[in-house]
Amino acid sequence: ETGVTQSPTHLIKTRGQQVTLRCSSQSGHNTVSWYQQALGQGPQFIFQYYREEENGRGNFPPRFSGLQFPNYSSELNVNALELDDSALYLCASSLLAGFGEAFFGQGTRLTVV
Amino acid sequence: GIQVEQSPPDLILQEGANSTLRCNFSDSVNNLQWFHQNPWGQLINLFYIPSGTKQNGRLSATTVATERYSLLYISSSQTTDSGVYFCGFVGTASKLTFGTGTRLQVTL
Protein backbone atom coordinates (compact mmCIF):
# COMPACT_ATOMS: atom_id res chain seq x y z
CA GLU A 1 0.00 0.00 0.00
CA THR A 2 1.52 3.30 -1.10
CA GLY A 3 1.05 6.44 0.96
CA VAL A 4 0.24 9.96 -0.15
CA THR A 5 3.04 11.52 -2.18
CA GLN A 6 3.46 15.14 -3.22
CA SER A 7 5.74 16.81 -5.70
CA PRO A 8 7.81 18.85 -5.75
CA THR A 9 8.98 19.06 -2.13
CA HIS A 10 10.28 22.61 -2.47
CA LEU A 11 9.63 25.33 -4.99
CA ILE A 12 10.62 28.97 -5.44
CA LYS A 13 8.51 31.16 -7.70
CA THR A 14 8.36 34.84 -8.57
CA ARG A 15 5.35 37.01 -7.77
CA GLY A 16 2.84 36.92 -10.64
CA GLN A 17 3.88 33.48 -11.86
CA GLN A 18 1.75 30.37 -11.89
CA VAL A 19 2.47 27.10 -10.07
CA THR A 20 1.18 23.53 -10.20
CA LEU A 21 1.54 21.18 -7.26
CA ARG A 22 0.83 17.47 -7.56
CA CYS A 23 -0.50 14.80 -5.22
CA SER A 24 -0.90 11.07 -5.57
CA SER A 25 -3.53 9.70 -3.22
CA GLN A 26 -3.11 6.65 -1.07
CA SER A 27 -3.99 3.42 -2.82
CA GLY A 28 -7.75 2.84 -2.71
CA HIS A 29 -8.65 6.42 -1.71
CA ASN A 30 -11.01 8.41 -3.93
CA THR A 31 -10.97 11.76 -2.12
CA VAL A 32 -8.21 14.35 -2.10
CA SER A 33 -8.14 17.56 -0.08
CA TRP A 34 -5.65 20.42 -0.21
CA TYR A 35 -4.56 22.60 2.70
CA GLN A 36 -2.38 25.68 3.04
CA GLN A 37 -0.29 26.08 6.16
CA ALA A 38 1.38 29.41 6.81
CA LEU A 39 4.32 29.54 9.18
CA GLY A 40 3.25 29.08 12.79
CA GLN A 41 -0.38 28.37 11.98
CA GLY A 42 -2.58 25.34 11.52
CA PRO A 43 -3.51 24.02 8.07
CA GLN A 44 -6.37 25.81 6.32
CA PHE A 45 -8.70 23.97 3.95
CA ILE A 46 -8.47 25.02 0.30
CA PHE A 47 -10.76 22.52 -1.43
CA GLN A 48 -11.62 18.87 -1.80
CA TYR A 49 -12.11 16.62 -4.81
CA TYR A 50 -14.25 13.50 -4.74
CA ARG A 51 -14.46 11.32 -7.83
CA GLU A 52 -13.10 14.13 -10.02
CA GLU A 53 -15.62 16.74 -8.84
CA GLU A 54 -15.01 19.61 -6.44
CA ASN A 55 -16.70 18.70 -3.17
CA GLY A 56 -16.26 21.71 -0.93
CA ARG A 57 -14.10 24.81 -0.94
CA GLY A 58 -12.60 26.97 1.74
CA ASN A 59 -12.16 30.71 1.79
CA PHE A 60 -9.62 30.97 -1.03
CA PRO A 61 -9.84 33.13 -4.18
CA PRO A 62 -10.57 31.64 -7.62
CA ARG A 63 -6.92 31.85 -8.61
CA PHE A 64 -6.58 28.70 -6.51
CA SER A 65 -7.94 25.90 -8.67
CA GLY A 66 -7.70 22.16 -8.74
CA LEU A 67 -8.19 19.02 -10.68
CA GLN A 68 -8.60 15.35 -9.92
CA PHE A 69 -7.77 12.66 -12.44
CA PRO A 70 -9.46 9.27 -13.01
CA ASN A 71 -6.72 7.59 -10.97
CA TYR A 72 -7.66 10.00 -8.11
CA SER A 73 -4.37 11.89 -8.20
CA SER A 74 -4.78 15.63 -8.01
CA GLU A 75 -3.25 18.98 -8.92
CA LEU A 76 -3.41 22.32 -7.19
CA ASN A 77 -2.88 25.32 -9.45
CA VAL A 78 -2.25 28.81 -8.21
CA ASN A 79 -2.25 31.71 -10.66
CA ALA A 80 -0.88 35.22 -10.22
CA LEU A 81 1.22 34.25 -7.22
CA GLU A 82 1.40 36.68 -4.33
CA LEU A 83 3.99 36.89 -1.58
CA ASP A 84 1.37 35.72 0.94
CA ASP A 85 1.01 32.47 -0.99
CA SER A 86 4.32 31.39 0.50
CA ALA A 87 3.39 28.43 2.67
CA LEU A 88 3.47 24.68 3.11
CA TYR A 89 0.84 23.04 0.90
CA LEU A 90 -0.48 19.75 2.17
CA CYS A 91 -2.48 17.14 0.37
CA ALA A 92 -4.63 14.59 2.18
CA SER A 93 -6.45 11.57 0.88
CA SER A 94 -9.30 9.60 2.38
CA LEU A 95 -11.60 6.83 1.34
CA LEU A 96 -14.90 8.67 1.61
CA ALA A 97 -15.57 12.37 1.30
CA GLY A 98 -16.40 13.78 4.71
CA PHE A 99 -15.86 10.51 6.48
CA GLY A 100 -13.03 8.28 7.38
CA GLU A 101 -9.48 8.96 8.35
CA ALA A 102 -7.42 11.42 6.31
CA PHE A 103 -3.77 10.73 5.50
CA PHE A 104 -1.33 13.49 4.54
CA GLY A 105 1.59 13.73 2.20
CA GLN A 106 4.90 15.29 3.15
CA GLY A 107 3.90 18.66 1.72
CA THR A 108 5.28 21.12 -0.81
CA ARG A 109 6.99 24.18 0.57
CA LEU A 110 6.34 27.10 -1.78
CA THR A 111 8.30 30.32 -1.53
CA VAL A 112 7.17 33.33 -3.56
CA VAL A 113 9.77 36.06 -4.00
CA GLY B 1 -18.62 27.27 12.74
CA ILE B 2 -17.30 24.91 15.34
CA GLN B 3 -14.33 26.25 17.24
CA VAL B 4 -11.46 24.04 18.32
CA GLU B 5 -9.07 25.03 21.07
CA GLN B 6 -5.99 23.15 22.15
CA SER B 7 -4.09 23.44 25.38
CA PRO B 8 -1.46 24.09 26.42
CA PRO B 9 -0.15 26.09 23.45
CA ASP B 10 3.44 25.31 24.38
CA LEU B 11 4.99 22.58 26.49
CA ILE B 12 8.58 21.82 27.44
CA LEU B 13 9.31 18.42 28.96
CA GLN B 14 12.37 16.54 30.06
CA GLU B 15 12.88 13.22 28.41
CA GLY B 16 10.98 10.54 30.30
CA ALA B 17 8.20 12.79 31.53
CA ASN B 18 4.51 12.26 30.84
CA SER B 19 2.10 14.83 29.43
CA THR B 20 -1.55 15.37 28.56
CA LEU B 21 -2.65 17.51 25.64
CA ARG B 22 -6.25 18.65 25.41
CA CYS B 23 -8.56 19.48 22.53
CA ASN B 24 -11.86 21.25 23.27
CA PHE B 25 -14.53 21.79 20.63
CA SER B 26 -17.58 24.03 20.79
CA ASP B 27 -20.10 21.55 19.41
CA SER B 28 -20.47 17.85 18.60
CA VAL B 29 -17.94 16.66 16.05
CA ASN B 30 -17.26 13.50 14.10
CA ASN B 31 -14.10 11.93 12.85
CA LEU B 32 -11.73 13.45 15.37
CA GLN B 33 -8.09 12.85 14.61
CA TRP B 34 -4.81 13.60 16.34
CA PHE B 35 -1.71 14.43 14.30
CA HIS B 36 1.96 15.03 15.01
CA GLN B 37 3.65 17.48 12.68
CA ASN B 38 7.34 16.71 12.52
CA PRO B 39 10.04 19.35 12.00
CA TRP B 40 9.93 18.72 8.25
CA GLY B 41 6.24 19.59 8.10
CA GLN B 42 4.66 16.22 7.54
CA LEU B 43 1.45 15.49 9.45
CA ILE B 44 1.65 12.03 10.91
CA ASN B 45 -1.57 10.31 11.90
CA LEU B 46 -1.64 9.36 15.55
CA PHE B 47 -5.25 8.45 16.21
CA TYR B 48 -8.60 8.44 14.49
CA ILE B 49 -10.84 8.57 17.53
CA PRO B 50 -14.42 9.84 17.23
CA SER B 51 -15.12 8.42 20.70
CA GLY B 52 -13.67 6.13 23.31
CA THR B 53 -10.05 5.33 24.09
CA LYS B 54 -7.24 4.00 21.95
CA GLN B 55 -3.63 3.19 22.71
CA ASN B 56 -0.59 2.86 20.50
CA GLY B 57 2.64 2.23 22.35
CA ARG B 58 3.51 5.21 24.54
CA LEU B 59 0.61 7.22 23.18
CA SER B 60 -3.05 6.97 24.01
CA ALA B 61 -6.08 9.11 23.30
CA THR B 62 -9.53 9.52 24.76
CA THR B 63 -12.48 11.34 23.21
CA VAL B 64 -15.58 12.14 25.25
CA ALA B 65 -17.88 13.35 22.50
CA THR B 66 -20.76 14.20 24.84
CA GLU B 67 -18.50 16.57 26.79
CA ARG B 68 -16.79 17.92 23.67
CA TYR B 69 -13.16 17.17 24.38
CA SER B 70 -10.36 14.84 23.50
CA LEU B 71 -7.12 14.11 25.33
CA LEU B 72 -3.79 12.87 24.02
CA TYR B 73 -1.48 11.23 26.54
CA ILE B 74 2.24 10.90 25.93
CA SER B 75 4.13 8.74 28.38
CA SER B 76 7.89 8.45 28.82
CA SER B 77 8.46 11.23 26.30
CA GLN B 78 11.42 11.09 23.93
CA THR B 79 13.17 13.83 21.98
CA THR B 80 11.61 12.44 18.81
CA ASP B 81 8.20 13.38 20.23
CA SER B 82 9.06 17.05 19.71
CA GLY B 83 6.96 18.94 17.21
CA VAL B 84 3.47 20.31 16.97
CA TYR B 85 0.41 18.26 17.88
CA PHE B 86 -2.88 19.06 16.18
CA CYS B 87 -6.36 17.73 16.71
CA GLY B 88 -8.79 18.02 13.82
CA PHE B 89 -12.32 17.10 12.94
CA VAL B 90 -14.40 16.85 9.78
CA GLY B 91 -17.26 19.32 9.76
CA THR B 92 -19.11 21.00 6.94
CA ALA B 93 -17.87 20.86 3.37
CA SER B 94 -15.99 17.68 4.21
CA LYS B 95 -13.05 19.70 5.45
CA LEU B 96 -10.75 18.96 8.34
CA THR B 97 -10.76 21.85 10.78
CA PHE B 98 -7.64 21.94 12.88
CA GLY B 99 -7.12 23.14 16.40
CA THR B 100 -4.60 25.77 17.32
CA GLY B 101 -1.89 23.21 18.02
CA THR B 102 0.37 22.38 20.97
CA ARG B 103 4.08 22.89 20.39
CA LEU B 104 6.02 20.27 22.36
CA GLN B 105 9.73 20.35 23.02
CA VAL B 106 11.33 17.38 24.74
CA THR B 107 14.79 18.05 26.15
CA LEU B 108 17.51 15.68 27.32
Side-chain angles (χ1 to χ4, degrees):
Chain A
E1 182 180 276
T2 56
V4 181
T5 58
Q6 292 185 241
S7 62
T9 55
H10 295 83
L11 200 53
I12 300 175
K13 288 287 191 178
T14 303
R15 189 171 49 182
Q17 285 188 315
Q18 179 265 342
V19 69
T20 298
L21 310 182
R22 295 178 174 83
C23 172
S24 293
S25 60
Q26 184 163 314
S27 177
H29 285 183
N30 56 20
T31 302
V32 173
S33 303
W34 287 91
Y35 295 81
Q36 180 196 66
Q37 187 177 21
L39 200 60
Q41 298 182 19
Q44 298 295 313
F45 176 74
I46 303 175
F47 44 57
Q48 182 184 87
Y49 279 84
Y50 171 61
R51 293 185 175 179
E52 302 178 58
E53 298 283 334
E54 188 177 289
N55 183 51
R57 187 179 181 92
N59 189 26
F60 281 82
R63 59 189 184 85
F64 285 78
S65 63
L67 200 59
Q68 187 178 32
F69 299 99
N71 66 355
Y72 302 130
S73 65
S74 177
E75 288 183 352
L76 164 65
N77 299 291
V78 187
N79 293 322
L81 283 166
E82 301 177 0
L83 298 179
D84 285 348
D85 296 332
S86 295
L88 179 67
Y89 288 84
L90 295 162
C91 167
S93 77
S94 56
L95 181 54
L96 294 172
F99 301 91
E101 192 172 2
F103 293 86
F104 283 81
Q106 80 279 21
T108 294
R109 194 166 296 279
L110 172 65
T111 302
V112 183
V113 297
Chain B
I2 300 175
Q3 304 300 312
V4 186
E5 186 177 311
Q6 290 186 242
S7 60
D10 296 279
L11 189 57
I12 300 175
L13 298 174
Q14 269 201 319
E15 197 172 43
N18 302 328
S19 62
T20 300
L21 281 56
R22 188 177 180 103
C23 175
N24 289 331
F25 26 94
S26 60
D27 203 344
S28 298
V29 300
N30 296 312
N31 307 321
L32 190 109
Q33 292 188 236
W34 281 97
F35 299 92
H36 173 216
Q37 189 163 40
N38 64 25
W40 298 271
Q42 185 162 12
L43 281 168
I44 308 297
N45 289 43
L46 298 177
F47 294 101
Y48 173 68
I49 185 164
S51 64
T53 297
K54 289 186 178 180
Q55 180 155 9
N56 184 5
R58 297 181 296 104
L59 303 182
S60 64
T62 295
T63 296
V64 184
T66 53
E67 297 188 21
R68 304 175 186 172
Y69 72 88
S70 184
L71 302 174
L72 177 68
Y73 306 95
I74 304 174
S75 64
S76 304
S77 57
Q78 301 176 358
T79 55
T80 51
D81 295 332
S82 297
V84 184
Y85 290 79
F86 288 103
C87 63
F89 70 92
V90 176
T92 58
S94 305
K95 65 176 183 177
L96 258 173
T97 297
F98 288 85
T100 47
T102 291
R103 185 173 300 274
L104 173 64
Q105 183 181 351
V106 181
T107 62
L108 292 171

